[in-house]
Amino acid sequence: MAQELPVTTATATARATVPNTKKLTLIPLVFLIYFEVAGGPYGEEPAVGAAGPLLAIIGFMVFPFIWSVPEALVTAELSTAYPGNGGFVIWADRAFGPFWGSLMGTWKFLSGVINIAAFPVLCIDYMKRLIPALESGLPRYLAILCSTLGLSFLNYTGLTIVGYAAVALAAISLLPFILITLIALPKIRPHRWLSLGQQGVKKDWNLFFNTLFWNLNFWDNVSTLAGEVDHPQKTFPKALFISVIFTCLAYLFPLLAVIGALSVDQTEWEAGFMAQAAELIAGKWLKIFLEVGAVLSAIGLFEAQLSSSAFQLLGMADIGSLPKFFGLRSKWFNTPWVGILLSTSISLGVSYLNFTDIISSANFLYSLSMLLEFSSFVWLRRKFPMLKRPYRVPLRLPMLVFMCLVPCAFLVVIMAVATKKVYLVSGIMTVAGIGWYFLMKLFKSKKWLKFNIDGEVRAVENDQDRVVGHL
């Protein structure tokens, strides 16, 4: 039966030529994954406002099992089988060919950089409760611009620094939620958890599902950092397992505490309400502490996702999907400065949309990419059953199909409730992505730009082995 050995791309070669390159270890990777996905309970409030306390609680209890766990399992298996910075682009390429690999890259990159834009906006939404001038106008625009540029420069200084910074940022940003949960315990009235919402408040299913999705997705983004991880075959599964548990509990406990302790108008549950809840439960000091935590969380979220987007472009250059220029690294910090610059520029361009439009557009593009990713996962199991998988999801093919169908059904729901504006934006970006693939193909054939042809993924089969290399 045919098998395929793990793909070795130019990532490994490039890394070998850089002396004393520091790699990510388990603990920094855990917290980078945490910030790829969550960064704390900041941003979960709209789920309560959209559908009421009970459905919000059920959503954050059930959604990890139908979405987060399957996505994390897929990421663990494929990241260890193909440990290169191309990540999900390599998976789609190996499963269905370079066109689908390129389209996967377009969907993931655009959803990633759109998502990045949400974090300064979320941060400002919290801070405007302390500084009303940030509500609108020039002060708000300048705050978003300066924070985005400053955080991008921090990312430029190195992934190892970002990884260890994520550990500190997570500890500090979660502390106010630990305090609010503990202080709220005597005030909790369990019957408040059972409320389906106030009469007269119409349920907003679009906002509800998008809030759940936005708060608990992007587990696979860390795959684009696989080439920068120490012993990825062992480190990735452990880091993903720890991160799933840690992230889900970090969302659920504060939500239960605040809903149970406070009786407020449902319409008050919007982005940033946790800060107001902190003041009502413990006093202004905790509100200020939580506001500071929101800023730190936004920093961690921004850094983790910017790293993934930038290294994705580097990985695509390594395998020849993009010109070599996109794979350039800084001489001082060994970071992909072209990827950082491009990601930051696009992020700034969409950062002035409102929060709901940002997460809805990111979610739709991400949904398209995840349908392709789950398909790639199943097809690779069928196509290369003997592929060396250091971590292997312990299920046979029929059960794997079922495991993937459940989150895929949710993806269809997310896409079905999207607005016309989201359909239009996503359609334009998809058409642009298809055009980009054929443009790159033309440039490559005409040799108008330099591509890393040696990095292209190719395979030679015989009856017993499958030799993968640069042909």
Side-chain angles (χ1 to χ4, degrees), residues 39-171:
Y42 307 96
E44 69 176 343
E45 304 100 327
V48 181
L54 180 60
L55 291 179
I57 292 170
I58 292 174
F60 279 99
M61 291 179 65
V62 174
F63 191 66
F65 293 98
I66 65 174
W67 175 259
S68 299
V69 171
E71 187 184 7
L73 289 173
V74 168
T75 302
E77 177 169 316
L78 294 181
S79 293
T80 55
Y82 299 99
N85 287 337
F88 33 69
V89 178
I90 296 177
W91 311 342
D93 183 286
R94 295 309 305 128
F96 303 118
F99 170 79
W100 291 105
S102 176
L103 193 56
M104 171 75 88
T106 298
W107 284 334
K108 291 285 191 182
F109 177 73
L110 291 175
S111 66
V113 293
I114 291 173
N115 201 47
I116 289 169
F119 304 130
V121 173
L122 182 60
C123 177
I124 300 303
D125 283 342
Y126 271 90
M127 291 303 297
K128 72 185 182 184
R129 295 173 181 266
L130 288 177
I131 309 173
L134 298 178
E135 178 77 34
S136 61
L138 184 61
R140 181 179 179 86
Y141 295 147
L142 290 177
I144 292 174
L145 175 64
C146 293
S147 59
T148 301
L149 294 179
L151 294 176
S152 296
F153 180 77
L154 175 61
N155 198 275
Y156 173 70
T157 61
L159 190 58
T160 302
I161 293 174
V162 171
Y164 281 105
V167 178
L169 290 170

Side-chain angles (χ1 to χ4, degrees), residues 247-262:
T247 299
C248 295
L249 293 181
Y251 274 122
L252 190 58
F253 285 161
L255 186 65
L256 288 169
V258 174
I259 290 175
L262 295 178

Side-chain angles (χ1 to χ4, degrees), residues 367-424:
S367 297
L368 290 172
S369 69
M370 284 308 304
L371 289 172
L372 178 56
E373 185 172 312
F374 283 125
S375 300
S376 300
F377 172 69
V378 172
W379 193 249
L380 285 170
R381 270 291 191 97
R382 183 181 182 279
K383 187 177 181 181
F384 304 125
M386 301 303 292
L387 168 68
K388 183 180 179 181
R389 294 170 168 87
Y391 172 80
R392 186 183 184 93
V393 179
L395 296 173
R396 294 184 179 276
L397 190 60
M399 288 305 298
L400 287 178
V401 172
F402 177 77
M403 183 190 83
C404 293
L405 282 177
V406 175
C408 284
F410 185 82
L411 290 173
V412 173
V413 172
I414 288 289
M415 296 167 70
V417 299
T419 63
K420 292 180 180 179
K421 182 189 293 185
V422 172
Y423 281 125
L424 178 62

Side-chain angles (χ1 to χ4, degrees), residues 99-100 102-103 106-107 427-441:
F99 170 79
W100 291 105
S102 176
L103 193 56
T106 298
W107 284 334
I428 291 173
M429 290 183 174
T430 298
V431 171
I434 294 172
W436 177 263
Y437 168 75
F438 287 106
L439 183 64
M440 291 299 100
K441 190 174 181 180

